Amino acid sequence: MSEIEVTERSRVKRGRKKASYDRTLVNSIIDEAWVCNIGVSVDGQALVQPSSHWRVGDELFVHGSVKNGLFQQVIKGQTACITLCILDGLVFARSAYEHSVNFRSIVLFGKGRLVEEPTEKRAVLDALLDKYSAGRSQEARPPTEKEMRVTAVFAFPIEEVSAKVSSGGPTDLPEDLELDIWSGVKPVSNVIGELIPD
């Protein structure tokens, strides 16, 4: 396990006990999550959109239309903020105030590198398919030249990043422990179902 260098921007300010800068943990959250949210400033307004993402080595990748307004800002060199979260449980306390959730999340800051070299671009897009299902890139029809042209792929270095993890049961106040109210955790998980033929 290696620690990621902490910057003023990536340092967790609230909930510091839940913070981690461990690269193995960060990578595992990126790999397990299915959707990230990427945010930039467009004409002075915050714009955030969800996106599929995947990891190859020490880079996080996202892709979409080359005409996407948010991606145009990334192409211009604007720093993006990428977040993702895995919900692990709903935490029920005896008091309304102490209800919470168990989660694993990351916040990443960085400038996206536009992947233009054809061999690299194809390889990282194959890695996206293989995240969906091992070997899928060898089963699917390869993208056409036009499909490759209209698809923008960005690589963000996994360098300025922090993780937060919340786990465990409710924190009931001592005076609430005698209340006849159920408390505990309802686990939450992502389940990939069986294939539904088209």
Side-chain angles (χ1 to χ4, degrees):
M1 291 189 285
S2 62
E3 286 289 305
I4 296 168
E5 184 177 347
V6 181
T7 68
E8 186 55 33
R9 191 162 49 184
S10 68
R11 184 183 308 280
V12 174
K13 311 301 192 278
R14 293 187 53 81
R16 292 181 186 177
K17 291 181 180 178
K18 298 176 181 177
S20 174
Y21 307 93
D22 176 71
R23 185 170 298 280
T24 302
L25 174 64
V26 166
N27 288 347
S28 72
I29 295 171
I30 293 171
D31 292 346
E32 187 175 340
W34 290 100
V35 176
C36 72
N37 292 289
I38 177 169
V40 298
S41 176
V42 178
D43 298 327
Q45 301 232 358
L47 177 63
V48 178
Q49 71 181 40
S51 177
S52 297
H53 71 276
W54 67 106
R55 181 181 65 86
V56 177
D58 290 333
E59 293 181 303
L60 180 149
F61 290 84
V62 297
H63 78 305
S65 169
V66 295
K67 296 182 179 179
N68 181 295
L70 185 149
F71 286 166
Q72 288 299 312
Q73 298 304 310
V74 177
I75 290 172
K76 292 175 183 175
Q78 189 176 138
T79 298
C81 178
I82 299 174
T83 66
L84 53 90
C85 184
I86 301 169
L87 181 63
D88 292 319
L90 305 177
V91 181
F92 292 78
R94 289 177 173 84
S95 71
Y97 181 78
E98 296 294 339
H99 281 64
S100 64
V101 296
N102 287 337
F103 65 88
R104 289 166 288 151
S105 67
I106 69 162
V107 176
L108 180 150
F109 299 94
K111 294 182 183 295
R113 172 178 67 87
L114 182 63
V115 179
E116 298 181 275
E117 198 282 315
T119 303
E120 181 191 13
K121 187 174 182 181
R122 175 66 195 280
V124 296
L125 286 170
D126 282 352
L128 168 61
L129 290 181
D130 291 337
K131 177 178 178 176
Y132 279 72
S133 181
R136 186 63 178 170
S137 63
Q138 300 303 308
E139 299 169 350
R141 172 185 63 76
T144 65
E145 287 187 20
K146 179 182 178 183
E147 289 168 340
M148 292 292 280
R149 268 197 321 272
V150 300
T151 302
V153 178
F154 296 96
F156 291 87
I158 305 172
E159 293 175 358
E160 195 170 4
V161 60
S162 60
K164 281 182 80 172
V165 177
S166 181
S167 61
T171 307
D172 283 312
L173 299 175
E175 57 268 30
D176 292 336
L177 292 175
E178 300 304 317
L179 295 175
D180 187 21
I181 300 169
W182 179 83
S183 68
V185 178
K186 289 187 177 181
V188 175
S189 64
N190 281 321
V191 177
I192 306 300
E194 294 297 317
L195 178 65
I196 301 173
D198 60 0

